[in-house]
Amino acid sequence: MGLQTSAQARYAFVRRLVADRLPVGSRLVEFGAAPGDQCVALAEAGYRVTAVDLGLSSDAWADAPEGRMVDLFERHGVDYVEWDLERTPYPLAGAAYDGVIFTEVFEHLRDYPVRALEEAARVLRPGGFLFFTTPNAGYLVNRVRLATGRSVYTALPDWIGGVPHARHAREYLVGEIVEVLGVAGLRPVLVTGRHFHLAGGSPLKRAAKRGIDLLARVRPTLGPMVVAVAEKPPAS
């Protein structure tokens, strides 16, 4: 039971991005907070954190018993708002947060997902930051899979009888992410790529993944994960 090593690595990387831009004590909100560990780690680091989550199968992401996420929030002083991110506006005050955490969620949204980015811009104070990650549809391995006739989409069983909000509705290219951030009124200040699934497999496979991670830092369009930080422009 517990989080995948890749999730732990991604959470640690996002915490560094936050710490580089926002002082301890800043107000953060995470959109799509399940299984809760990222919120808790930020709260333990001294940030004031609000979690927003759909509240369905939230504990399954950590392969944990029912109630784990809410219990974590209660024990670590994280405010919890149960809400569907596809329903706008969110029950959050405008310009109330210094940072929005939005990681590995955007690709799951089906109903005009740019509205979620517009909500991120709305709840951010001027000069606040969005911290964002999503899979890269143009990942080098995806290109090879398509060229050899294999699928790059969510596994078929999840489309036949899985949990609807758990499957990927759409994945995006790096250029598309930059475009939709701009549409939402957010200014990208960092766009990079990473490979967080570095553990496991044979020594050769681990070496290949490390090589892809280094490539993604130079050419984000080829990496498996898009990482972006975007600023809400300061008020004029």
Side-chain angles (χ1 to χ4, degrees), residues 55-78:
L56 296 176
S57 304
S58 299
D59 301 307
W61 303 111
D63 191 25
E66 184 177 352
R68 173 187 182 271
M69 183 180 75
V70 172
D71 179 62
L72 277 176
F73 292 160
E74 290 176 350
R75 287 191 287 111
H76 291 86
V78 174

Side-chain angles (χ1 to χ4, degrees), residues 22 26-31 48 50-52 81 83 85 87-102 114-131 184-186 230-233:
L22 296 174
S26 297
R27 294 195 65 188
L28 305 177
V29 58
E30 181 174 7
F31 291 176
R48 294 176 291 165
T50 296
V52 180
V81 177
W83 193 258
L85 294 178
R87 292 175 56 203
T88 57
Y90 301 165
L92 303 170
Y97 297 93
D98 303 296
V100 172
I101 313 297
F102 198 9
V114 173
R115 291 175 180 171
L117 292 175
E118 292 171 339
E119 281 296 281
R122 181 184 67 81
V123 305
L124 278 173
R125 63 162 173 81
F129 293 96
L130 168 72
F131 302 91
L186 298 165
E231 182 183 27
K232 180 176 180 177

